[in-house]
Amino acid sequence: MTATPSTWDYDHYDAAEERLRESLCTLGNGYFATRGALPECAADDTHYPGTYAAGCYNRLTSTVSGRKVENEDVVNLPNWLPLRFRPAGGDWLTPDTAEVLDHRQTVHLDSGVLERRTSFGLGGDRVLSVRQLRLVHMADPHLAALRTEFTTEGGPVDLEVEAALDGGVTNSGVHRYRDLEGRHLVHVHTGSAADDTVWLRCRTRTSDIRIGLAARTTARAPVTAAREHLCVTQRTTLRAEPGRTAAVDKVVALHTSRDPAISDPLQAAVDRVAEAPGFDDLLVSHRTAWGQLWRRAELEVPGEAGSILRLHLFHVLQTLSPHTADLDVGVPARGLHGEAYRGHVFWDELFVLPYLNLHFPEVSRALLHYRHRRLERARSAARAIGRRGALYPWQSGSDGREETQRLHLNPRSGRWLPDHSHLQHHVGSAIAYNVWQYCEASGDAEFLHTKGAEMLLQIARFWADSATWDERLGRHRIRGVVGPDEYHEAYPGAARPGLDDNAYTNVTAAWVLSRTLDVLADLPEPRRRELVERTALDAAELEQWDSVSRTLHVPFHDGVVSQFEGYGELAELDWAGYRERYGDIRRLDRVLEAENDSVNNYQASKQADVLMLGYLFSPAELRSLFSRLGYRLDEPTWQRTVDHYLARTSHGSTLSGLVHGWILARARRAEAWTYFHEALKSDVADLQGGTTGEGIHLGAMAGTLDLVQRGLTGLETRAGALWLDPVPLPELSSYGFSVRYQGHWGVRFRLEHGRLEIAVPAAGPLPIDVRLPDREVRLQPGDACRLVLPD
């Protein structure tokens, strides 16, 4: 593999790496995405040509270990890619069955085009060279296109070419899910709409989403259609000659019944593909749309890190593009790149929205709308456990109910085990944090005063009602939860799951309560009155919130912040011994369970838990939060806490290296690059051991972008100003980017050898106040400044 800021290139065929390449070569536009599978290859253990539309879910029931298990999954839609070829009368050619002389696959990041070149040996001196260009259109989100060009050496070849729409697909892209029901599509029908156009329609089994696909296939020879079981094909025969290129173009339109402003998905698809221009014109408008995206997300980082960051940005923009602003969807943790995590929405928006806020705030707003539309479902979930307020689900899908599986498979032991991760109630704090960060960055007072305030109020109400008073401690406590470290979900030998006083949960709950009190106090009086009347909020409840926000218990042990009450009493793990025996112990939970042990017994974390507080809050704000709670969090205590958990974390999540790199940039700069580099490599090198082939890790990708944008610059948007406190790493001391801040499009930042340059575009509405630890600067529209940074 070779990478540049504009290309991501694989220069040979490797069946063992194909799933990984398919994920990293996925093309999408925010509405739908298609994995980078070879069009001539069907789904098998090597290839998996999945297509996924944002928010398109279906629910099925499976029998696992004698139990009925219900799961909702993002649906693998009918496959529009198939296009296979062979010498007339011969076998179909694929890299797995034919002689491959050369193979190259290149993602052109600037233009959003996947290029494939393969040379097949046909025997004797004859060679067939295949070049394909693929796009999922960024200007028109319902279109995709594939151009296939054939050239020969050593003599002419008559080629049979077959294109298809395949409705016989299943969800089978994740091996550990294969015991589960995966056939989501029913009522598959096919037909022809014109001489060069075929169609396929179907619907999902239980969610009853109707899907329409239409394909227009053109070549210099006649194209004939044929209907087969669950698919429709188009065939042609071409004569490929040396020095001349024979081409086939396939243009596809996709609609579902979730789309606005249509009556029938099939008719919409047929009409759209009929009106679509040819491949060349589609490529021009597609490139233009991508050029506009890159300007808004400008990022200049040198070297290998810059190339990987460009790939990360490419995949973020394909999953969450401006088209997302028109959809009712959340942030899929694994992108639209595969079926891992079933396409569910977790807390990963906590790592994604801070980046989007400063480039595509309209997308952030739409993603927060997804949460607001499910506020009533979250309130129902809270009532179901006897609480007030809103309990958002750890895993969300179509309607906001809790989608977390109740069983999960340990591939090491082959056992299906109880899953208690639905107790990660801290997801509500993540949503509240995102509301506040979005409003601070965008200046969207209308959203804050309406939907934002409604979500904040109900999340705060849940935390206040979850807190119980402990007379012995003289403090409030939150019991029976799971923190970000999913390894620990119960006390050793406990009959019931859940932990008490997870520090991250309690501190972020205190932040939500105090921040909501501030928002309510600052609401315009008419709006505040409406909200109070609708929610029956009274002064006594507000007083309770204030009390809980100051008295939540934060446990300590041995001079460090404890992950939860009793954490310090757990046994120490023989880390060196386990690394010697197993090598990679990122998934330490699976290793121990296969030994009939449990990670619940040890001071061992999957990922940052307590240290997540240092990711969300600046050092000053974190000290202030602890002070409000009546605790002193001085620098030595925080440093001891960082050291304690660094030595006891297995980094079983792609988010772990990201968070630790962010923390160490300020705590121990010399070590920060190691963790940042791991975060950069997590997907491109598949550090989690095969998981990237099931879908990228969108939070980690966006988080690396935000580490450069906010983490290393100390960039905060608060109190109507841009706050900066740069900590450039030696390995990344020179780079630049631009942001969109409260009506200013393209505020440019550049760090260069101890200097910070800031330029404000001339068309901005108002001056920008910039605050650094040792000075303040006001920049008028059109101004620029260069600041010397302290060592």
Side-chain angles (χ1 to χ4, degrees):
M1 185 276 297
T2 56
T4 72
S6 60
T7 60
W8 195 260
D9 188 76
Y10 296 99
D11 61 2
H12 67 285
Y13 179 72
D14 185 346
E17 293 290 316
E18 193 64 14
R19 289 290 182 101
L20 172 63
R21 296 181 183 185
E22 289 176 357
S23 285
L24 295 178
C25 294
T26 293
L27 298 182
N29 57 25
Y31 175 78
F32 80 99
T34 297
R35 288 168 57 85
L38 299 174
E40 69 269 24
C41 296
D44 57 21
D45 288 338
T46 300
H47 309 279
Y48 196 70
T51 291
Y52 311 95
C56 187
Y57 293 99
N58 187 64
R59 190 179 306 277
L60 296 176
T61 300
S62 308
T63 301
V64 177
S65 298
R67 294 175 56 179
K68 295 289 186 182
V69 176
E70 184 179 270
N71 289 297
E72 184 178 68
D73 293 79
V74 65
V75 177
N76 183 17
L77 298 181
N79 184 13
W80 67 270
L81 268 184
L83 189 144
R84 58 182 182 171
F85 40 87
R86 64 185 176 187
D91 295 329
W92 297 110
L93 301 178
T94 76
D96 303 304
T97 60
E99 180 186 8
V100 176
L101 304 177
D102 184 54
H103 179 78
R104 182 177 294 273
Q105 205 166 6
T106 304
V107 181
H108 296 275
L109 303 178
D110 288 346
S111 58
V113 172
L114 176 61
E115 180 181 13
R116 170 269 183 99
R117 293 177 181 267
T118 308
S119 294
F120 295 98
L122 301 183
D125 295 330
R126 294 191 309 164
V127 175
L128 174 67
S129 294
V130 181
R131 177 177 182 250
Q132 291 180 317
L133 296 177
R134 183 192 311 180
L135 60 88
V136 175
H137 209 267
M138 188 55 80
D140 186 330
H142 299 280
L143 292 178
L146 174 69
R147 167 167 285 178
T148 306
E149 299 173 340
F150 302 99
T151 58
T152 64
E153 299 174 25
V157 177
D158 289 328
L159 287 175
E160 296 176 1
V161 181
E162 179 185 274
L165 299 177
D166 181 11
V169 301
T170 63
N171 276 48
S172 53
V174 179
H175 187 270
R176 61 187 176 280
Y177 297 168
R178 290 184 181 177
D179 289 342
L180 305 176
E181 178 62 55
R183 188 166 294 281
H184 293 277
L185 302 177
V186 294
H187 301 156
V188 178
H189 299 277
T190 61
S192 300
D195 290 343
D196 59 1
T197 302
V198 294
W199 56 260
L200 182 150
R201 71 180 179 195
C202 59
R203 61 181 66 212
T204 55
R205 282 173 64 178
T206 60
S207 56
D208 202 30
I209 298 171
R210 291 172 291 133
I211 300 154
L213 270 172
R216 186 184 73 211
T217 301
T218 55
R220 291 181 178 176
V223 176
T224 59
R227 297 170 62 182
E228 301 180 12
H229 181 60
L230 301 180
C231 76
V232 59
T233 62
Q234 293 177 286
R235 299 187 179 98
T236 188
T237 299
L238 304 174
R239 186 166 181 80
E241 300 182 27
R244 297 183 62 183
T245 297
V248 177
D249 286 348
K250 183 178 183 181
V251 178
V252 175
L254 167 66
H255 277 277
T256 81
S257 55
R258 300 183 77 249
D259 297 343
I262 67 168
S263 60
D264 173 60
L266 176 59
Q267 191 60 53
V270 170
D271 290 345
R272 189 172 293 268
V273 84
E275 296 171 3
F279 187 91
D280 291 328
D281 290 337
L282 285 172
L283 184 58
V284 170
S285 56
H286 175 68
R287 283 174 168 163
T288 299
W290 265 107
Q292 293 168 351
L293 288 184
W294 286 118
R295 286 201 299 272
R296 289 180 63 179
E298 181 183 1
L299 178 68
E300 297 176 7
V301 178
E304 180 193 40
S307 297
I308 297 175
L309 285 167
R310 287 273 290 182
L311 180 74
H312 286 185
L313 180 51
F314 178 74
H315 286 298
V316 170
L317 295 177
Q318 293 194 117
T319 307
L320 302 168
S321 79
H323 298 300
T324 307
D326 298 324
L327 306 176
D328 177 30
V329 298
V331 176
R334 304 299 288 272
L336 298 173
H337 298 59
E339 294 159 16
Y341 298 175
R342 310 183 192 288
H344 290 167
V345 178
F346 292 69
W347 72 328
D348 296 71
E349 63 209 62
L350 189 63
F351 303 88
V352 176
L353 263 64
Y355 179 81
L356 294 177
N357 291 341
L358 292 169
H359 299 277
F360 302 94
E362 73 278 17
V363 177
S364 291
R365 181 180 171 117
L367 296 169
L368 292 171
H369 272 282
Y370 168 86
R371 293 297 194 179
H372 183 264
R373 292 186 187 100
R374 289 149 183 82
L375 178 59
E376 287 307 308
R377 173 72 78 166
R379 293 184 65 200
S380 297
R383 286 193 296 270
I385 62 170
R387 306 268 177 83
R388 303 180 71 203
L391 171 58
Y392 277 95
W394 175 239
Q395 295 187 32
S396 181
S398 60
D399 61 11
R401 76 181 77 177
E402 180 60 79
E403 300 292 354
T404 301
Q405 65 274 16
R406 291 300 189 258
L407 294 173
H408 69 267
L409 176 67
N410 180 357
R412 280 187 174 270
S413 67
R415 289 189 284 257
W416 287 89
L417 307 167
D419 189 314
H420 303 299
S421 56
H422 65 280
L423 296 175
Q424 293 191 69
H425 298 167
H426 62 81
V427 66
S429 295
I431 294 167
Y433 182 88
N434 283 329
V435 167
W436 179 252
Q437 289 292 324
Y438 160 73
C439 293
E440 285 285 273
S442 66
D444 191 346
E446 188 274 336
F447 184 85
L448 180 62
H449 293 165
T450 54
K451 295 176 174 63
E454 291 167 9
M455 286 189 282
L456 288 170
L457 186 154
Q458 297 297 350
I459 294 167
R461 177 172 273 171
F462 174 80
W463 284 132
D465 201 45
S466 298
T468 58
W469 181 255
D470 187 308
E471 289 288 351
R472 180 182 61 84
L473 290 174
R475 286 190 166 273
H476 284 93
R477 310 184 67 184
I478 296 177
R479 299 177 179 270
V481 299
V482 172
D485 166 32
E486 296 173 321
Y487 279 178
H488 289 96
E489 55 185 24
Y491 287 103
R496 307 179 81 178
L499 304 163
D500 299 336
D501 299 314
N502 172 256
Y504 173 83
T505 299
N506 285 13
V507 173
T508 55
W511 178 88
V512 171
L513 288 161
S514 62
R515 182 62 66 204
T516 304
L517 288 168
D518 292 341
V519 169
L520 293 175
D522 291 341
L523 283 179
E525 194 282 329
R527 174 56 186 153
R528 188 175 192 276
R529 182 177 179 180
E530 289 176 358
L531 196 57
V532 166
E533 290 173 348
R534 286 178 53 192
T535 59
L537 185 67
D538 58 29
E541 186 173 3
L542 295 177
E543 290 175 6
Q544 181 208 14
W545 292 7
D546 184 70
S547 173
V548 173
S549 74
R550 298 177 186 276
T551 59
L552 276 168
H553 177 49
V554 179
F556 287 75
H557 75 278
D558 299 333
V560 304
V561 181
S562 294
Q563 188 169 307
F564 50 82
E565 185 64 44
Y567 174 90
E569 300 169 15
L570 300 178
E572 291 282 10
L573 183 78
D574 179 8
W575 290 90
Y578 271 90
R579 287 194 173 101
E580 183 178 349
R581 289 163 58 190
Y582 292 98
D584 185 351
I585 57 169
R586 286 183 174 89
R587 290 311 304 264
L588 182 63
D589 56 334
R590 293 175 176 174
V591 170
L592 289 170
E593 192 278 329
E595 292 184 346
N596 297 311
D597 199 350
S598 171
V599 75
N600 283 325
N601 297 326
Y602 301 98
Q603 293 185 40
S605 299
K606 176 184 179 183
Q607 63 197 82
D609 194 298
V610 173
L611 300 190
M612 270 296 301
L613 296 171
Y615 179 82
L616 295 186
F617 305 113
S618 68
E621 188 171 8
L622 189 56
R623 287 193 298 271
S624 176
L625 273 170
F626 272 74
S627 178
R628 180 185 178 92
L629 287 164
Y631 298 101
R632 177 178 171 80
L633 186 68
D634 55 22
E635 188 64 22
T637 301
W638 180 246
Q639 289 286 354
R640 286 194 302 271
T641 301
V642 170
D643 292 343
H644 182 87
Y645 291 104
L646 269 177
R648 293 165 176 83
T649 301
S650 72
H651 305 294
S653 164
T654 56
L655 297 172
S656 191
L658 166 68
V659 174
H660 284 87
W662 187 294
I663 299 299
L664 289 175
R666 298 191 179 276
R668 288 208 302 273
R669 198 179 304 183
E671 299 176 40
W673 179 254
T674 299
Y675 290 95
F676 179 46
H677 192 257
E678 178 168 321
L680 282 174
K681 291 281 194 174
S682 59
D683 270 332
V684 300
D686 198 12
L687 295 183
Q688 296 291 327
T691 63
T692 301
E694 303 165 350
I696 61 163
H697 297 83
L698 193 68
M701 284 190 169
T704 58
L705 299 168
D706 197 39
L707 178 58
V708 172
Q709 173 180 268
R710 292 190 313 132
L712 300 184
T713 61
L715 175 61
E716 296 180 82
T717 55
R718 58 182 170 91
L722 288 175
W723 299 68
L724 292 160
D725 186 10
V727 284
L729 300 179
E731 299 88 349
L732 198 62
S733 59
S734 176
Y735 63 91
F737 60 91
S738 66
V739 302
R740 179 176 166 188
Y741 173 67
Q742 296 193 358
H744 295 272
W745 290 60
V747 181
R748 294 175 179 269
F749 296 83
R750 180 148 199 93
L751 276 81
E752 191 90 45
H753 307 303
R755 295 178 182 271
L756 172 64
E757 299 178 11
I758 308 172
V760 178
L766 296 170
I768 295 178
D769 289 328
V770 179
R771 300 180 184 177
L772 288 90
D774 60 344
R775 77 202 89 166
E776 296 183 13
V777 179
R778 169 164 285 195
L779 296 176
Q780 299 290 339
D783 283 355
C785 69
R786 177 178 294 182
L787 306 171
V788 178
L789 302 176
D791 293 333

